[in-house]
Every structure is written in structure tokens, then in C-alpha cells.
């Protein structure tokens, strides 16, 4: 039995994606990422000299500032900042620029569900635009569970409210390999099946969680393809300088 | 503890403490290859856990939880408030997690620790979404009065696995909670009655929702959590602060008493979580949930 979604999407279909980079002129890197109506703006400043207190000076340091669309900054924003900071730290090569701080500022333009994954994708695109060295990209997706046990990807705000549980999952991007073996395997699983970050809300069974992870992994292929196409297009476009 | 013989590096000439400070990762990996940790724990064993109830006499419910050296003091204070219009017969719980400077040398007064609001929110989400507390039990007079519980958790010693200890202390505090006696007075307002006053005062009207004696909340689906570190092929359960600072990939699994997953929290980190690691973490969390259930059961908690 299929779920009927209000906007007519299939359960595994993502909303239309749009990404534009280099939109802010003062920042070293910037990107705007939208999934359907959810839109997030990310700006990257850095690397700047010096690290904050209690941070390891032998590695590059990241700080994330999250600005909501309205209202004061509260615990929700602080949690998002910490999750984003740790995710960025795990994808960037920290030893290239030691004793530096890179600031990532996230501005929520509109929240229509799946906000944290949208922000992670925007931050990734902005980091690429700024030229920060990274091991791979972080591809984020939101997967939620309805009460009849079906998993639905990329919900909008109304769908999020109706669902019993949801999971925000971040994976490394899939690699496009010219060799027939494909990507390297770790413990019999391709590298891009490993979870970088996972945040769940609501109660679900362990099997349901694995179902969400499977669906999320399948979606990373299309998201990675979108990233790749978007970055390659601007490379060929001579009017955009870097 | 003798150092293994290796002629090539200078570890054979160094003292253990110096080696631990200068090469912390290698120190730990030497232990991990023998499936042990520096405090002689096996990789999948959590530290000794102690729970004490009812320590704070001024609070309506309190508990102290110690996992190894990590110490959390939780206290609940109940107050009467008007419920919101969207849920007129439900009470409310506000969770706040504090990290005072006593808990760790990194925390200084005036600048709140980075981890504090995040753990605060995670605790709040976990407690509310697990359904441990039926908010309808906190209702006094539908639409007019309901209980608001202020849960404050103070970290007294931060030695790793803060979320686990905080959740345990919160659950124990709720089990110790006794809702104060109240009555409806002439003005239609709820007043608290202290233990010494008599109940036969003519001005006190008894509604069916107002309690006559102190009662406890029924807790169902109690959540239990376990934090693990993923490092190469090893999974370490219940890390200390030293282990957390060296190996930065933490995974927290919260399971409830009916084996449902309340939360699977992994926030970045060098190691990626593959299906096998996820399964192992969930298994370790199951074992730990059984242990914690027994410990709480000894305290006469349902």
C-alpha cells in the first residue's frame, strides 16, 4: 500500500533542489540551498588566524553560527550549531591549516520541513565555494516514519508534524568511479554507506531505523549527482570567477 | 604496569604517565589491542553505577546518579500553572541541564559550557518523546490548573558519558517524585497544603482531580541510554572524558523498556557508522538497559 503525499510525490522522491554559490561578495564562500520551499543561506569566512580557547591548536577549528528566521537564539539553535560543527569537522581535512578558525554562518530563509539537512547541504556547498580542503562532501537527508511503518523521504513541515518519528541522516557523497570495481569497501560495505551524523526524534523500532538508513543511502546517490552537476557547471562557466 | 618491549621507539625509556600524556592515542591503542582499557575494564563494560534517591529535602523529587566518576544531581520542583489552550488537560515539564564550574576544569563561570544547552535539549526531547510521563496525569482542573515540573540537573563531576548519567538521574528523580497535596480554596485558586494542616477546614472544596494525599507518577517506557565510542574496529562502551577527548566519534543509543529505539544520536566524528557498528551499539545498549533496569528496580522503582 503506497502512501499518498499531499504534493503528489512518491515516498522516495525528493523535492526540487536548487543551489547557487558565490552569491555574497564579502564572504570567502557562500551558497544558497533550497529543497522545495525550505531555503537556507550559508556563508563561510576563513581560515582566520588563531583558534579559540580549549581547541586543539594543531588542527583547524570551525565555529558555526546559526541564525533562525525569527525569534531569539535558544537551545534548538545551539544544538544545530553543535551538530553542524561536528559534522563539518569530520569532513574537512583539519591538518592542512592548523591553528586557524573558519566560521560558517547559517541563515534560515524559510523553514518548510527538513531544515537541518538543508543547512548541512548548504554549508557543504559554501565550504566548496570557499575552497576549504575536504575529504568528501556531507550529503544530508531527512527520513520519517508514518504510523503504518512506511518511510518517507524529505518531508515538508505538515508531513513532519503528522509523522511518528523522523531521522536526520548525513552520509558521505557517492563516488563516481571510472574503474569497474566502484568505490572502496569497508567491512563489506561501500564507504558511502557509513553514517557521519544521525539525529532521531520520536520512538521507532530498531528495524524501522535500519529502514530509514537504507532509504537515506539510496537517496544520497541522487543528491550526490546533483552536487556534482552543480559544481561542474560553474567550473565550465567562465563568467563566474572561482 | 610494565611497558611492552620495543627496541625501536623511546617508549621503553619513558614512564607510563608521561607516555599517557604525550602519546595518548598510542597509549590507548596498546590497551585496545588487548581488549582492555586503562582502567582494566573490558571494551563492552560500563562503569559502576550508583543511584541515590531523595537527597534534596526541599525538592519534590530528587536523585543522585553516579556512573564511574560522572555525578549528576537531579531535582524536581512542581508548581501549579494554567495549561495552554491547545492542551487544556495536560501538564508540562521543563528540563534544564547545568554545568557549574565545579564539574570540569574547562568550564569557567560566566561562560556557559558549549555542551550544556545541547544536552538540555536532548534530554528534554528524549524524556518527552519516550512517553515515560503521561502529561495528562499532571492535570488538576481541566483548562484551569495543571502541574508544571521544573527538572534541574546539575553536573557535579564531568567524566564522560554526561548524557547517560543525566538521563539516569532524571528518570530516578521522576520515580522519587511525590506530587504535593493541594486543594481548591474559596477564590477558586489552587493552594498547596503543608503536611501539618488538617484537611477538615471548611473552606477547602475537594474536586475529583485534586489529590488528597501525595501521589507518585506512573512511569511507563522508561528510556535507558548508552554512549559508545567508535574507533577503527573497536567499540568502547561508556567512555571517560579522557577517552572522549582522544577518540572523538560518540554514538548514543537510547532504548526504552519495550526495546524501541528512542534515539540514535551520532554527531560527526572521524569514524563512520556502518550497519555492523550500529547493530553492535544497539546490542550493547540492550545489555546496559537490562543492567540499569535492575539498578533502578533495587531502588523500588516500577
Amino acid at each position: 500500500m503506497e502512501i499518498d503525499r499531499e504534493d503528489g510525490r512518491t515516498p522516495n522522491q525528493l523535492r526540487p533542489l536548487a543551489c547557487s554559490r558565490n552569491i555574497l561578495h564579502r564572504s570567502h564562500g557562500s551558497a544558497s540551498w533550497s529543497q522545495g520551499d525550505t531555503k537556507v543561506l550559508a556563508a563561510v569566512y576563513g581560515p582566520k588566524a588563531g583558534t579559540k580557547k580549549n581547541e586543539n591548536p594543531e588542527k583547524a577549528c570551525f565555529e558555526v553560527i546559526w541564525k533562525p528566521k525569527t525569534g531569539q537564539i535558544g537551545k534548538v539553535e545551539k544544538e544545530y550549531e553543535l551538530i553542524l560543527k561536528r559534522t563539518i569537522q569530520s569532513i574537512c581535512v583539519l591538518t592542512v591549516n592548523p591553528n586557524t578558525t573558519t566560521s560558517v554562518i547559517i541563515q534560515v530563509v524559510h523553514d518548510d520541513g527538513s531544515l537541518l539537512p538543508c543547512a548541512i547541504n548548504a554549508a557543504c556547498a559554501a565550504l566548496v565555494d570557499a575552497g576549504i580542503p575536504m575529504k568528501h562532501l556531507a550529503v544530508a537527508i531527512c527520513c520519517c516514519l508514518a504510523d503504518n511503518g512506511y518511510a518517507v523521504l524529505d518531508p515538508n513541515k505538515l508531513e513532519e508534524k503528522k509523522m511518528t518519528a523522523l531521522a536526520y541522516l548525513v552520509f558521505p557523497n557517492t563516488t563516481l568511479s571510472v574503474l569497474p570495481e566502484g568505490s572502496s569497501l569497508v567491512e563489506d560495505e561501500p564507504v558511502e554507506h557509513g553514517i557521519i551524523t544521525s539525529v532521531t526524534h520520536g520512538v521507532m523500532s530498531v528495524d524501522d531505523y535500519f529502514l530509514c538508513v537504507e532509504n537515506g543511502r539510496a537517496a544520497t546517490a541522487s543528491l550526490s549527482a546533483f552536487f556534482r552537476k552543480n559544481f561542474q557547471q560553474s567550473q565550465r562557466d567562465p563568467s563566474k570567477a572561482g | 604496569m610494565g611497558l611492552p618491549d620495543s627496541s625501536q621507539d623511546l617508549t621503553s625509556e619513558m614512564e607510563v604517565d608521561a607516555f599517557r600524556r604525550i602519546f595518548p592515542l598510542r597509549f590507548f591503542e596498546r590497551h585496545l589491542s588487548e581488549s582492555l582499557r586503562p582502567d582494566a575494564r573490558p571494551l563492552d563494560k560500563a562503569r559502576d553505577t550508583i543511584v541515590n534517591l531523595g537527597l534534596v529535602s526541599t525538592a519534590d523529587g530528587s536523585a543522585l546518579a553516579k556512573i564511574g566518576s560522572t555525578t549528576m544531581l537531579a531535582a524536581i520542583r512542581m508548581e501549579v500553572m494554567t495549561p495552554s489552550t491547545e492542551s487544556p488537560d495536560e501538564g508540562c515539564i521543563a528540563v534544564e541541564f547545568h554545568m557549574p564550574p565545579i564539574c570540569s576544569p574547562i568550564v569557567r563561570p560566566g561562560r556557559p559550557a558549549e555542551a550544556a544547552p545541547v544536552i538540555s535539549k536532548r534530554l528534554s526531547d528524549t524524556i518527552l518523546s519516550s512517553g515515560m510521563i503521561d502529561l495528562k496525569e499532571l492535570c488538576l482542573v481541566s483548562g484551569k490548573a495543571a502541574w508544571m515540573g521544573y527538572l534541574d540537573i546539575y553536573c557535579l563531576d564531568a567524566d564522560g558519558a554526561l548524557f547517560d548519567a543525566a538521563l539516569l538521574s532524571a528518570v530516578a528523580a521522576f520515580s522519587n517524585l511525590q506530587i504535593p497535596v493541594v486543594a481548591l480554596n474559596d477564590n477558586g485558586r489552587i493552594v498547596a497544603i503543608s503536611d501539618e494542616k488538617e484537611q477538615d477546614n471548611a473552606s477547602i472544596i475537594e474536586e475529583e482531580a485534586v489529590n488528597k494525599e501525595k501521589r507518585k507518577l506512573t512511569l511507563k517506557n522508561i528510556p535507558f541510554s548508552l554512549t559508545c565510542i567508535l574507533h577503527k574496529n573497536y567499540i568502547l562502551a561508556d567512555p571517560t572524558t579522557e577517552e572522549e577527548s582522544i577518540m572523538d566519534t560518540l554514538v548514543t543509543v537510547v532504548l526504552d523498556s519495550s526495546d524501541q529505539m528512542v534515539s540514535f544520536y551520532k554527531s560527526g566524528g572521524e569514524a563512520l557508522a556502518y550497519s555492523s557498528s550500529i547493530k553492535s551499539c544497539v546490542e550493547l545498549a540492550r545489555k546496559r538497559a537490562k543492567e540499569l533496569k535492575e539498578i533502578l528496580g533495587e531502588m523500588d522503582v516500577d
Side-chain angles (χ1 to χ4, degrees), chain A residues 52-55 59 75-76 78-79 82-87 90 135-136 172 186-187 189-206 209-210 213-214 217, chain B residues 95-96 106 111 114-115 117-118 120-122 125 129-130 232-233 248-250 255-256 259-279 282 286:
Chain A
K52 295 201 288 196
K53 245 178 155 187
N54 297 326
E55 297 271 2
K59 295 191 173 166
K75 293 186 213 158
V76 177
K78 291 281 173 208
E79 192 193 3
L82 193 66
I83 295 174
L84 211 62
K85 175 181 165 185
R86 295 187 58 119
T87 306
S90 73
K135 297 183 237 180
H136 48 71
V186 176
E187 298 172 17
E189 285 189 74
V191 174
E192 54 260 15
H193 279 191
I195 300 179
I196 302 177
T197 295
S198 152
V199 179
T200 66
H201 290 283
V203 183
M204 58 175 94
S205 71
V206 180
Y209 179 72
F210 278 107
V213 171
E214 280 309 312
R217 282 178 183 153
Chain B
V95 182
E96 190 70 43
I106 311 177
R111 180 186 293 186
E114 213 182 54
V118 179
S120 207
K121 170 145 191 307
R122 282 171 63 191
D125 283 346
S129 67
S130 67
K232 294 185 187 165
N233 294 340
D248 65 348
T249 311
L250 294 170
L255 296 174
D256 70 7
D259 209 34
Q260 301 270 77
M261 186 191 281
V262 179
S263 162
F264 186 92
Y265 191 89
K266 175 180 190 286
S267 177
E270 235 186 272
L272 301 178
Y274 296 94
S275 306
S276 49
S277 326
I278 302 177
K279 289 197 182 93
V282 173
R286 276 198 189 114

Side-chain angles (χ1 to χ4, degrees), chain A residues 141-199:
Chain A
I141 189 83
C142 172
C143 184
C144 54
L145 284 167
D147 14 349
N148 53 9
Y150 274 88
V152 154
L153 285 180
D154 200 17
N156 57 23
K157 203 137 188 130
L158 291 170
E159 287 176 335
E160 267 187 3
K161 285 210 171 79
K162 287 190 295 189
M163 297 294 168
T164 50
L166 57 83
Y168 297 125
L169 299 165
V170 182
F171 298 94
N173 64 320
T174 53
T175 48
L176 190 66
S177 177
V178 289
L179 298 175
E181 302 95 63
S183 67
S184 51
L185 296 176
V186 176
E187 298 172 17
D188 299 330
E189 285 189 74
V191 174
E192 54 260 15
H193 279 191
I195 300 179
I196 302 177
T197 295
S198 152
V199 179

Side-chain angles (χ1 to χ4, degrees), chain A residues 100-123:
Chain A
T100 58
T101 306
T102 305
S103 307
V104 179
I105 295 108
I106 302 281
Q107 172 68 57
V108 176
V109 176
H110 191 252
D111 178 12
D112 187 33
S114 198
L115 181 62
L116 181 62
C118 196
I120 294 176
N121 292 332

Side-chain angles (χ1 to χ4, degrees), chain B residues 1-4 9 11 14-40 43 231-232 234 236 240 242-243 246-247:
Chain B
M1 213 203 100
L3 290 172
D9 53 346
T11 56
M14 205 188 282
E15 278 190 353
V16 180
D17 286 332
F19 186 58
R20 188 176 190 158
R21 292 292 179 96
I22 302 177
F23 303 108
L25 192 56
R26 282 164 65 182
F27 177 79
F28 272 92
E29 283 182 346
R30 283 265 178 85
H31 287 80
L32 294 178
S33 57
E34 315 278 335
S35 295
L36 272 187
R37 288 140 96 166
D39 51 5
L43 299 186
H231 179 68
K232 294 185 187 165
Y234 305 108
L236 284 71
T240 61
E242 197 187 350
E243 291 168 352
I246 300 167
M247 299 170 272

Side-chain angles (χ1 to χ4, degrees), chain A residues 21-53:
Chain A
R21 292 176 302 123
N22 205 10
I23 36 183
L24 302 173
H25 295 121
R26 295 297 305 270
S27 62
H28 298 137
S30 57
S32 129
W33 181 277
S34 60
Q35 285 175 210
D37 279 334
T38 305
K39 187 164 173 190
V40 174
L41 199 59
V44 170
Y45 289 88
K48 297 175 280 191
T51 47
K52 295 201 288 196
K53 245 178 155 187

Side-chain angles (χ1 to χ4, degrees), chain B residues 172-194:
Chain B
F174 273 115
S175 72
N176 179 245
L177 175 67
Q178 287 186 320
I179 303 200
V181 184
V182 286
L184 200 59
N185 72 359
D186 280 342
N187 303 331
R189 296 174 75 208
I190 301 271
V191 245
I193 301 180
S194 59

